[in-house]
Amino acid sequence: VNDSLMRFFDHCAKFVALVEENNTAMCQVNAFKDGPEMQKVLEKVASALCLPVEELNADLVQVAFLTCSYELAIKNVTSPWCSLFSEEDAKVLEYLNDLKQYWKRGYGYDINSRSSCILFQDIFQHLDKAVEESKSSKPITSPLIVQVGHAETLQPLLALMGFFKDDEPLKANNYIRQAHRKFRSGRIVPYAANLVFVLYHCDQVKTSEEEYQVQMLLNEKPMLFHHSNETISTYADLKNYYKDILENCHFKEECELPKVNVTAIDEL
């Protein structure tokens, strides 16, 4: 168990103070809760339950939707709560959750992903060690390394690597424009989400650079690398592409709270 590595977000003072415990950091989420799309869902649910709409709020409706989702996912049963929602309602509530993940764990603020560089660097240190041992014909000390965390561990790491990034940020006022967004947290980090780095030693290659190659799989599906648009990359090319993060992202400095008095949003 290595909480400082797998729960890096708890150990990053800047993230905790300016995002985790800062209500204004979730302004887009709160604005969407009060927006026209959620209001329409609230009115429909209130009508179905024969309740005054004033007795409901976005959080209560989201609890009902999650109860429906959990029972469907875990027990494969259609909960009575599901009857309250249409497919369009589900899309609105999915967007509400994606907004929260985007601003708290994704691209919303740089510190969300930058705080994960300690884990990113650790992964490459293990890969480096395996390459070194292979080159010197030593047995690989750790042929398999398993690290277990949460969606909150994986989402910032994927953002750090630039995956599932939309051209336009997710905001309270662009729900329609984001209908075909890449950032869908339910698909990126579902139950039992997993990210696998596979290092290959290739014998029959033309150049020494091609001897060590890497594949990445998210939820057992190969990922396309940004620099090559291929599902496999030489290890040298991959390290070169992420050179700045590997060399210049220092957890302690990234996570230090600013010394001067600035507002949280200004700093973010």
Side-chain angles (χ1 to χ4, degrees):
V1 176
N2 187 345
D3 274 357
S4 62
L5 190 64
M6 301 307 288
R7 294 187 66 86
F8 49 80
F9 42 88
D10 283 343
H11 299 263
C12 183
K14 187 175 179 181
F15 170 78
V16 171
L18 302 187
V19 181
E20 184 81 56
E21 296 177 353
N22 174 22
N23 291 333
T24 59
M26 294 298 108
C27 59
Q28 293 296 328
V29 180
N30 295 328
F32 189 72
K33 285 179 181 178
D34 295 330
E37 293 88 2
M38 273 304 302
Q39 190 57 40
K40 193 175 171 184
V41 175
L42 277 174
E43 287 167 4
K44 281 176 66 179
V45 172
S47 174
L49 293 173
C50 300
L51 286 172
V53 72
E54 299 78 33
E55 288 190 20
L56 286 180
N57 58 44
D59 291 337
L60 285 171
V61 170
Q62 194 172 29
V63 168
F65 180 65
L66 289 173
T67 304
C68 157
S69 305
Y70 292 155
E71 291 201 27
L72 193 60
I74 297 166
K75 299 179 181 176
N76 199 26
V77 297
T78 303
S79 162
W81 291 106
C82 295
S83 63
L84 293 174
F85 305 104
S86 67
E87 190 175 331
E88 184 51 45
D89 298 335
K91 287 177 180 176
V92 171
L93 288 156
E94 179 196 22
Y95 191 69
L96 175 60
N97 188 56
D98 285 348
L99 267 178
K100 182 182 175 184
Q101 297 304 319
Y102 184 90
W103 289 95
K104 202 167 190 177
R105 306 290 176 188
Y107 292 103
Y109 303 110
D110 282 345
I111 191 58
N112 299 350
S113 59
R114 295 292 285 184
S115 61
S116 75
C117 68
I118 188 173
L119 176 57
F120 185 72
Q121 290 163 346
D122 182 76
I123 291 165
F124 277 81
Q125 283 162 15
H126 287 300
L127 293 169
D128 280 346
K129 188 180 178 187
V131 169
E132 275 175 44
E133 289 174 340
S134 172
K135 281 182 176 176
S136 53
S137 301
K138 292 177 183 174
I140 307 300
T141 312
S142 304
L144 174 68
I145 294 156
V146 180
Q147 316 227 60
V148 183
H150 292 278
E152 292 83 357
T153 311
L154 199 46
Q155 187 77 75
L157 183 66
L158 288 165
L160 184 72
M161 297 181 74
F163 289 107
F164 307 106
K165 187 173 187 179
D166 294 287
D167 294 334
E168 190 179 353
L170 272 64
K171 291 189 175 180
N173 62 0
N174 62 1
Y175 167 70
I176 299 294
R177 291 200 303 279
Q178 293 289 13
H180 302 290
R181 64 191 178 278
K182 296 173 191 171
F183 192 91
R184 289 182 183 271
S185 56
R187 296 179 190 177
I188 301 165
V189 283
Y191 292 134
N194 57 87
L195 180 65
V196 181
F197 288 80
V198 188
L199 180 67
Y200 294 97
H201 181 211
C202 310
D203 290 327
Q204 298 175 351
V205 289
K206 294 173 185 174
T207 65
S208 59
E209 276 207 343
E210 293 174 339
E211 192 178 348
Y212 294 95
Q213 302 195 25
V214 184
Q215 195 175 33
M216 261 181 66
L217 297 95
L218 178 65
N219 306 324
E220 295 91 55
K221 292 177 184 173
M223 301 274 281
L224 286 171
F225 289 109
H226 295 301
H227 61 283
S228 63
N229 215 30
E230 302 281 345
T231 58
I232 199 148
S233 166
T234 66
Y235 185 50
D237 282 349
L238 187 65
K239 281 186 73 175
N240 187 55
Y241 183 73
Y242 289 115
K243 186 179 179 181
D244 181 59
I245 300 170
L246 290 170
E247 293 180 2
N248 301 318
C249 186
H250 305 288
F251 182 80
K252 190 180 174 187
E253 287 83 352
E254 296 283 347
C255 289
E256 267 182 347
L257 277 167
K259 305 260 189 313
V260 291
N261 285 328
V262 293
T263 65
I265 292 298
D266 286 346
E267 171 58 25
L268 289 166

